[in-house]
Amino acid sequence: MLFRSLLTAAGCATHNTVSDGDDSRLMLKGHDPVSYFTAGKPLPGRPDLKMDHEGVTYRFANEANLAQFRAAPDKFKPQYNGFCSNGMVYAIPLGGNHDTYKIIDGRLFMFGGAGSKRYFEMDQERNLKLAESYWKTEVQGSIPRIQSWKRLIFKVPHYKTNRELAAEWEARQGKK
């Protein structure tokens, strides 16, 4: 019974969401996904301007952004269901922050923090390929918490710790 309860609880988070008021599966901590593209930054969405897409809720700063999202949600939704793009390089779906992001080739990528974004950018082309591959072959459709545990125990061959990534970053910056 306990094992079944753990699996049920673990399966509830197919997207990186939070709960806020009536919205139990709120994306981007309530920030407007269209604003990343139109305003160049995340703007808080309004609780009265929202839309459900793929079982999660998105909020919008204004009617125009809601209309744009409604017309083409896949253009604006965050990649990897909002999980950290650098974590996806290692097949580990961990939280991405609404305020640490990058638009690459017209797609929104979230990161767990400034360090994760920096490390991803050290070899962006390679990391995009790895993240896309792991997302499609291993992570998408999985139970994120169980997938994270699996890959924290059974690491991918190219796995690097945060300490190793930080040392690589510093070396690239000419620091000791």
Side-chain angles (χ1 to χ4, degrees), residues 70-119:
R70 186 174 282 130
D74 290 341
K75 177 179 177 180
F76 299 106
K77 71 180 186 179
Q79 300 302 296
Y80 317 128
N81 291 351
F83 291 110
C84 176
S85 299
N86 195 55
M88 206 55 59
V89 171
Y90 305 103
I92 301 172
L94 295 174
N97 291 331
H98 74 279
D99 59 353
T100 311
Y101 69 96
K102 185 172 186 177
I103 296 174
I104 304 169
D105 297 329
R107 299 185 304 157
L108 179 61
F109 292 85
M110 311 312 293
F111 297 92
S116 292
K117 183 180 177 194
R118 255 194 324 265
Y119 305 151

Side-chain angles (χ1 to χ4, degrees), residues 53-174:
H53 178 69
E54 296 179 343
V56 297
T57 304
Y58 291 89
R59 290 182 181 169
F60 302 91
N62 54 56
E63 292 280 352
N65 286 5
L66 171 58
Q68 284 187 59
F69 188 86
R70 186 174 282 130
D74 290 341
K75 177 179 177 180
F76 299 106
K77 71 180 186 179
Q79 300 302 296
Y80 317 128
N81 291 351
F83 291 110
C84 176
S85 299
N86 195 55
M88 206 55 59
V89 171
Y90 305 103
I92 301 172
L94 295 174
N97 291 331
H98 74 279
D99 59 353
T100 311
Y101 69 96
K102 185 172 186 177
I103 296 174
I104 304 169
D105 297 329
R107 299 185 304 157
L108 179 61
F109 292 85
M110 311 312 293
F111 297 92
S116 292
K117 183 180 177 194
R118 255 194 324 265
Y119 305 151
F120 186 87
E121 292 173 331
M122 284 192 299
D123 194 348
Q124 183 172 295
E125 185 177 333
R126 172 188 169 268
N127 288 335
L128 271 173
K129 287 178 183 174
L130 286 167
E132 290 293 317
S133 176
Y134 283 122
W135 175 252
K136 290 175 183 172
T137 63
E138 191 171 325
V139 179
Q140 187 176 28
S142 72
I143 299 170
R145 186 163 295 151
I146 292 174
Q147 173 67 27
S148 293
W149 292 338
K150 171 185 148 186
R151 280 304 183 181
L152 287 169
I153 295 168
F154 303 103
K155 295 178 175 30
V156 296
H158 57 275
Y159 181 84
K160 293 180 183 176
T161 65
N162 279 340
R163 176 175 273 156
E164 292 168 323
L165 289 166
E168 185 177 336
W169 171 259
E170 287 180 17
R172 289 174 182 234
Q173 303 307 307

